[in-house]
Amino acid sequence: MMFCGEAKDKDDQNVKPQKHVLCIGMACVDFVNIVKEFPLEDSDQRIQDYYWQRGGNASNNCTVLSLLSIPCEFMGVLGTEGVEASWILKDFESFNINTEHCVKKDVHCPVGTIILNMTNGTRTILFFPRDRPEMLYKDFQLKFKNDFSAYSWIHFELCSNVLEISKMIDDVLCYKNSNGQPVVSIEIEKPEFHNYNLVINKADLVFVSKDYAKSKGFANAKEAVSGLYNLCKEGAILVCAWGEQGASLCINNEVLTCPALQNIKVVDTLGAGDTFVAGFVGSLLSQRFYPTEPEHTTKIITKLEYALNYACHLAGHKCSMYGYTGLK
Ligand code: ADP
């Protein structure tokens, strides 16, 4: 299952540093409570286990990419208040995730309290955004000054700051080199935020969650990618993961579907979607496939099929273990 990031060119005398995948979004601390059965309201009971881990979609994407040996960087607002602040930074370091462009602010990080049901692996998330540390375009511009040469791929997790992200994407699209790098992908996860129309037609690759798809009236991943594809730009790839049903994608109105990994004991689905996204991106990078690069269609479909299978396999494997470190 393991693979490395882009292979270095052995013939190149001055081997260039590998380009990074930059994931922009949020980092938080997740307090995970493992229970035998979901608690009754107003009950009092002992739980089976407890731990805390770094969370947030973009932050989790980086964790998985790093475990797949793909050089990556997290960018977001990192709070400096509270003990969690320094712990988050140290944890990024321990996973070898670069955080050099993060914006430091005197705020507290968001926190998630998770109830993980060990019987079926469901995760119930109680999320508190606290000081809502979201990235602003002016910070992004100041940090990069329109130079994205260090990145093969830039992935954006969308929160309520869609307008800000839209301007960031414009800068990256202006910069793109002749190989189509950096690739721009976005993840639309939360139905409660709006204005996604500002960005959905800009990205090379769009991930939509089942929660978002359900909010738009779709009953499964296949229907979601077919129904939403007209919102994407020409030639873009639209992907939707759907828990134990697997995932589907659409490119040029052609739909591919992959079932979820079977015959596993599901214990922890927290971050399954983030693992899926990282697995999909990682697979395309390892196959040296950059969306929007002109390639023969059958070759593209083969690479996408492989990536979809790989992502479902990796995410399913993650569901069969607690946390991420077992993915190593
Ligand atoms: P999210 O964490 O965003 O809710 P999903 O539930 O859609 O993510 O799951 C993402 C992927 O993880 C799925 O496409 C599937 O491959 C895998 N997955 C999730 N739940 C299960 C499960 N119960 N059994 C097997 N694979 C699963």
mmCIF file of all heavy atoms in Angstrom, residues 58-89:
data_model
loop_
_atom_site.group_PDB
_atom_site.id
_atom_site.type_symbol
_atom_site.label_atom_id
_atom_site.label_comp_id
_atom_site.label_asym_id
_atom_site.label_seq_id
_atom_site.Cartn_x
_atom_site.Cartn_y
_atom_site.Cartn_z
ATOM 1 N N ALA A 58 -7.461 19.979 6.929
ATOM 2 C CA ALA A 58 -6.189 20.191 6.227
ATOM 3 C C ALA A 58 -5.032 19.631 7.048
ATOM 4 O O ALA A 58 -4.066 19.084 6.501
ATOM 5 C CB ALA A 58 -5.985 21.679 5.958
ATOM 6 N N SER A 59 -5.144 19.766 8.350
ATOM 7 C CA SER A 59 -4.114 19.246 9.250
ATOM 8 C C SER A 59 -4.056 17.713 9.159
ATOM 9 O O SER A 59 -2.973 17.118 9.065
ATOM 10 C CB SER A 59 -4.456 19.746 10.655
ATOM 11 O OG SER A 59 -4.023 18.910 11.657
ATOM 12 N N ASN A 60 -5.214 17.065 9.110
ATOM 13 C CA ASN A 60 -5.246 15.607 8.943
ATOM 14 C C ASN A 60 -4.745 15.181 7.561
ATOM 15 O O ASN A 60 -4.074 14.160 7.421
ATOM 16 C CB ASN A 60 -6.677 15.066 9.115
ATOM 17 C CG ASN A 60 -7.165 15.176 10.538
ATOM 18 O OD1 ASN A 60 -6.373 15.277 11.462
ATOM 19 N ND2 ASN A 60 -8.481 15.167 10.715
ATOM 20 N N ASN A 61 -5.106 15.962 6.531
ATOM 21 C CA ASN A 61 -4.609 15.644 5.177
ATOM 22 C C ASN A 61 -3.087 15.571 5.212
ATOM 23 O O ASN A 61 -2.469 14.664 4.653
ATOM 24 C CB ASN A 61 -5.005 16.716 4.156
ATOM 25 C CG ASN A 61 -6.499 16.856 3.939
ATOM 26 O OD1 ASN A 61 -6.989 17.948 3.669
ATOM 27 N ND2 ASN A 61 -7.238 15.763 4.048
ATOM 28 N N CYS A 62 -2.467 16.549 5.901
ATOM 29 C CA CYS A 62 -0.999 16.586 5.992
ATOM 30 C C CYS A 62 -0.467 15.372 6.747
ATOM 31 O O CYS A 62 0.546 14.786 6.350
ATOM 32 C CB CYS A 62 -0.534 17.855 6.698
ATOM 33 S SG CYS A 62 -0.654 19.307 5.662
ATOM 34 N N THR A 63 -1.134 15.008 7.829
ATOM 35 C CA THR A 63 -0.680 13.845 8.606
ATOM 36 C C THR A 63 -0.591 12.615 7.697
ATOM 37 O O THR A 63 0.414 11.900 7.687
ATOM 38 C CB THR A 63 -1.673 13.557 9.757
ATOM 39 O OG1 THR A 63 -1.728 14.719 10.576
ATOM 40 C CG2 THR A 63 -1.255 12.351 10.577
ATOM 41 N N VAL A 64 -1.638 12.402 6.910
ATOM 42 C CA VAL A 64 -1.669 11.201 6.064
ATOM 43 C C VAL A 64 -0.652 11.319 4.930
ATOM 44 O O VAL A 64 0.091 10.361 4.653
ATOM 45 C CB VAL A 64 -3.105 10.953 5.533
ATOM 46 C CG1 VAL A 64 -3.140 9.772 4.581
ATOM 47 C CG2 VAL A 64 -4.069 10.737 6.689
ATOM 48 N N LEU A 65 -0.560 12.487 4.302
ATOM 49 C CA LEU A 65 0.426 12.667 3.223
ATOM 50 C C LEU A 65 1.826 12.389 3.748
ATOM 51 O O LEU A 65 2.634 11.709 3.096
ATOM 52 C CB LEU A 65 0.358 14.090 2.659
ATOM 53 C CG LEU A 65 -0.863 14.396 1.786
ATOM 54 C CD1 LEU A 65 -0.995 15.901 1.555
ATOM 55 C CD2 LEU A 65 -0.763 13.672 0.437
ATOM 56 N N SER A 66 2.095 12.896 4.928
ATOM 57 C CA SER A 66 3.418 12.712 5.510
ATOM 58 C C SER A 66 3.683 11.231 5.786
ATOM 59 O O SER A 66 4.789 10.733 5.544
ATOM 60 C CB SER A 66 3.503 13.536 6.791
ATOM 61 O OG SER A 66 4.778 13.456 7.304
ATOM 62 N N LEU A 67 2.668 10.524 6.280
ATOM 63 C CA LEU A 67 2.837 9.081 6.509
ATOM 64 C C LEU A 67 3.053 8.319 5.195
ATOM 65 O O LEU A 67 3.654 7.250 5.177
ATOM 66 C CB LEU A 67 1.625 8.509 7.248
ATOM 67 C CG LEU A 67 1.476 8.966 8.707
ATOM 68 C CD1 LEU A 67 0.126 8.547 9.268
ATOM 69 C CD2 LEU A 67 2.603 8.406 9.565
ATOM 70 N N LEU A 68 2.579 8.904 4.094
ATOM 71 C CA LEU A 68 2.793 8.286 2.774
ATOM 72 C C LEU A 68 4.119 8.751 2.159
ATOM 73 O O LEU A 68 4.376 8.526 0.980
ATOM 74 C CB LEU A 68 1.647 8.645 1.820
ATOM 75 C CG LEU A 68 0.249 8.176 2.207
ATOM 76 C CD1 LEU A 68 -0.791 8.672 1.205
ATOM 77 C CD2 LEU A 68 0.193 6.662 2.319
ATOM 78 N N SER A 69 4.921 9.454 2.956
ATOM 79 C CA SER A 69 6.239 9.967 2.521
ATOM 80 C C SER A 69 6.140 11.022 1.429
ATOM 81 O O SER A 69 7.026 11.142 0.587
ATOM 82 C CB SER A 69 7.156 8.834 2.040
ATOM 83 O OG SER A 69 7.243 7.839 2.985
ATOM 84 N N ILE A 70 5.051 11.774 1.429
ATOM 85 C CA ILE A 70 4.907 12.872 0.475
ATOM 86 C C ILE A 70 5.202 14.176 1.226
ATOM 87 O O ILE A 70 4.536 14.476 2.220
ATOM 88 C CB ILE A 70 3.488 12.890 -0.118
ATOM 89 C CG1 ILE A 70 3.304 11.623 -0.966
ATOM 90 C CG2 ILE A 70 3.249 14.140 -0.954
ATOM 91 C CD1 ILE A 70 1.930 11.414 -1.473
ATOM 92 N N PRO A 71 6.211 14.949 0.789
ATOM 93 C CA PRO A 71 6.534 16.170 1.499
ATOM 94 C C PRO A 71 5.353 17.137 1.501
ATOM 95 O O PRO A 71 4.737 17.358 0.446
ATOM 96 C CB PRO A 71 7.706 16.767 0.717
ATOM 97 C CG PRO A 71 8.057 15.807 -0.329
ATOM 98 C CD PRO A 71 7.005 14.759 -0.422
ATOM 99 N N CYS A 72 5.019 17.650 2.661
ATOM 100 C CA CYS A 72 3.820 18.495 2.706
ATOM 101 C C CYS A 72 3.972 19.609 3.718
ATOM 102 O O CYS A 72 4.851 19.578 4.578
ATOM 103 C CB CYS A 72 2.589 17.658 3.012
ATOM 104 S SG CYS A 72 2.662 16.849 4.588
ATOM 105 N N GLU A 73 3.091 20.577 3.563
ATOM 106 C CA GLU A 73 3.112 21.754 4.435
ATOM 107 C C GLU A 73 1.678 22.099 4.821
ATOM 108 O O GLU A 73 0.773 22.026 3.987
ATOM 109 C CB GLU A 73 3.749 22.924 3.662
ATOM 110 C CG GLU A 73 3.728 24.216 4.450
ATOM 111 C CD GLU A 73 4.417 25.374 3.717
ATOM 112 O OE1 GLU A 73 5.273 25.125 2.825
ATOM 113 O OE2 GLU A 73 4.085 26.516 4.051
ATOM 114 N N PHE A 74 1.508 22.490 6.062
ATOM 115 C CA PHE A 74 0.202 22.974 6.513
ATOM 116 C C PHE A 74 0.254 24.493 6.606
ATOM 117 O O PHE A 74 1.234 25.058 7.097
ATOM 118 C CB PHE A 74 -0.144 22.398 7.894
ATOM 119 C CG PHE A 74 -1.350 23.051 8.509
ATOM 120 C CD1 PHE A 74 -2.629 22.677 8.120
ATOM 121 C CD2 PHE A 74 -1.216 24.070 9.448
ATOM 122 C CE1 PHE A 74 -3.754 23.304 8.662
ATOM 123 C CE2 PHE A 74 -2.323 24.699 9.994
ATOM 124 C CZ PHE A 74 -3.595 24.310 9.595
ATOM 125 N N MET A 75 -0.792 25.144 6.129
ATOM 126 C CA MET A 75 -0.896 26.581 6.338
ATOM 127 C C MET A 75 -2.271 26.915 6.908
ATOM 128 O O MET A 75 -3.298 26.466 6.390
ATOM 129 C CB MET A 75 -0.703 27.346 5.037
ATOM 130 C CG MET A 75 -0.651 28.839 5.296
ATOM 131 S SD MET A 75 -0.836 29.797 3.826
ATOM 132 C CE MET A 75 -0.146 31.341 4.379
ATOM 133 N N GLY A 76 -2.248 27.686 7.976
ATOM 134 C CA GLY A 76 -3.496 28.103 8.593
ATOM 135 C C GLY A 76 -3.152 29.093 9.682
ATOM 136 O O GLY A 76 -1.985 29.460 9.849
ATOM 137 N N VAL A 77 -4.160 29.503 10.411
ATOM 138 C CA VAL A 77 -3.894 30.381 11.550
ATOM 139 C C VAL A 77 -3.630 29.488 12.751
ATOM 140 O O VAL A 77 -4.449 28.632 13.087
ATOM 141 C CB VAL A 77 -5.096 31.300 11.818
ATOM 142 C CG1 VAL A 77 -4.857 32.132 13.064
ATOM 143 C CG2 VAL A 77 -5.361 32.189 10.617
ATOM 144 N N LEU A 78 -2.470 29.667 13.378
ATOM 145 C CA LEU A 78 -2.179 28.909 14.594
ATOM 146 C C LEU A 78 -2.264 29.852 15.781
ATOM 147 O O LEU A 78 -1.587 30.879 15.816
ATOM 148 C CB LEU A 78 -0.779 28.286 14.520
ATOM 149 C CG LEU A 78 -0.606 27.128 13.526
ATOM 150 C CD1 LEU A 78 0.811 26.577 13.610
ATOM 151 C CD2 LEU A 78 -1.619 26.015 13.775
ATOM 152 N N GLY A 79 -3.123 29.499 16.734
ATOM 153 C CA GLY A 79 -3.255 30.308 17.939
ATOM 154 C C GLY A 79 -2.007 30.159 18.801
ATOM 155 O O GLY A 79 -1.313 29.147 18.736
ATOM 156 N N THR A 80 -1.742 31.179 19.586
ATOM 157 C CA THR A 80 -0.585 31.096 20.488
ATOM 158 C C THR A 80 -1.042 30.973 21.950
ATOM 159 O O THR A 80 -0.234 30.861 22.849
ATOM 160 C CB THR A 80 0.298 32.357 20.360
ATOM 161 O OG1 THR A 80 -0.538 33.497 20.575
ATOM 162 C CG2 THR A 80 0.947 32.454 18.997
ATOM 163 N N GLU A 81 -2.349 31.023 22.173
ATOM 164 C CA GLU A 81 -2.885 30.980 23.543
ATOM 165 C C GLU A 81 -3.165 29.549 23.983
ATOM 166 O O GLU A 81 -3.621 28.725 23.194
ATOM 167 C CB GLU A 81 -4.208 31.759 23.607
ATOM 168 C CG GLU A 81 -4.103 33.225 23.239
ATOM 169 C CD GLU A 81 -3.365 34.036 24.286
ATOM 170 O OE1 GLU A 81 -3.685 33.878 25.475
ATOM 171 O OE2 GLU A 81 -2.468 34.815 23.917
ATOM 172 N N GLY A 82 -2.910 29.272 25.275
ATOM 173 C CA GLY A 82 -3.269 27.971 25.841
ATOM 174 C C GLY A 82 -2.215 26.906 25.583
ATOM 175 O O GLY A 82 -1.395 27.028 24.669
ATOM 176 N N VAL A 83 -2.265 25.835 26.403
ATOM 177 C CA VAL A 83 -1.262 24.766 26.267
ATOM 178 C C VAL A 83 -1.381 24.018 24.944
ATOM 179 O O VAL A 83 -0.405 23.456 24.436
ATOM 180 C CB VAL A 83 -1.348 23.735 27.417
ATOM 181 C CG1 VAL A 83 -0.783 24.271 28.695
ATOM 182 C CG2 VAL A 83 -2.775 23.245 27.606
ATOM 183 N N GLU A 84 -2.587 24.034 24.373
ATOM 184 C CA GLU A 84 -2.780 23.279 23.117
ATOM 185 C C GLU A 84 -1.942 23.860 21.987
ATOM 186 O O GLU A 84 -1.536 23.144 21.083
ATOM 187 C CB GLU A 84 -4.252 23.310 22.673
ATOM 188 C CG GLU A 84 -5.278 22.908 23.709
ATOM 189 C CD GLU A 84 -5.813 24.139 24.423
ATOM 190 O OE1 GLU A 84 -5.022 25.063 24.681
ATOM 191 O OE2 GLU A 84 -7.014 24.157 24.729
ATOM 192 N N ALA A 85 -1.695 25.193 22.059
ATOM 193 C CA ALA A 85 -1.008 25.875 20.958
ATOM 194 C C ALA A 85 0.373 25.270 20.695
ATOM 195 O O ALA A 85 0.694 24.892 19.567
ATOM 196 C CB ALA A 85 -0.900 27.360 21.260
ATOM 197 N N SER A 86 1.175 25.164 21.756
ATOM 198 C CA SER A 86 2.532 24.643 21.553
ATOM 199 C C SER A 86 2.485 23.149 21.246
ATOM 200 O O SER A 86 3.315 22.616 20.507
ATOM 201 C CB SER A 86 3.404 24.929 22.768
ATOM 202 O OG SER A 86 2.769 24.435 23.910
ATOM 203 N N TRP A 87 1.492 22.455 21.806
ATOM 204 C CA TRP A 87 1.371 21.019 21.540
ATOM 205 C C TRP A 87 1.095 20.766 20.046
ATOM 206 O O TRP A 87 1.687 19.872 19.436
ATOM 207 C CB TRP A 87 0.249 20.417 22.403
ATOM 208 C CG TRP A 87 0.123 18.950 22.174
ATOM 209 C CD1 TRP A 87 0.874 17.965 22.742
ATOM 210 C CD2 TRP A 87 -0.779 18.307 21.257
ATOM 211 N NE1 TRP A 87 0.500 16.747 22.238
ATOM 212 C CE2 TRP A 87 -0.505 16.924 21.336
ATOM 213 C CE3 TRP A 87 -1.769 18.761 20.393
ATOM 214 C CZ2 TRP A 87 -1.207 15.987 20.571
ATOM 215 C CZ3 TRP A 87 -2.452 17.821 19.639
ATOM 216 C CH2 TRP A 87 -2.182 16.464 19.729
ATOM 217 N N ILE A 88 0.206 21.581 19.461
ATOM 218 C CA ILE A 88 -0.119 21.415 18.035
ATOM 219 C C ILE A 88 1.143 21.594 17.186
ATOM 220 O O ILE A 88 1.434 20.792 16.292
ATOM 221 C CB ILE A 88 -1.226 22.410 17.601
ATOM 222 C CG1 ILE A 88 -2.580 21.942 18.119
ATOM 223 C CG2 ILE A 88 -1.282 22.560 16.083
ATOM 224 C CD1 ILE A 88 -3.756 22.807 17.713
ATOM 225 N N LEU A 89 1.904 22.638 17.502
ATOM 226 C CA LEU A 89 3.130 22.902 16.727
ATOM 227 C C LEU A 89 4.102 21.731 16.807
ATOM 228 O O LEU A 89 4.667 21.284 15.809
ATOM 229 C CB LEU A 89 3.810 24.159 17.266
ATOM 230 C CG LEU A 89 3.666 25.414 16.427
ATOM 231 C CD1 LEU A 89 4.503 26.534 17.025
ATOM 232 C CD2 LEU A 89 4.076 25.174 14.972
#
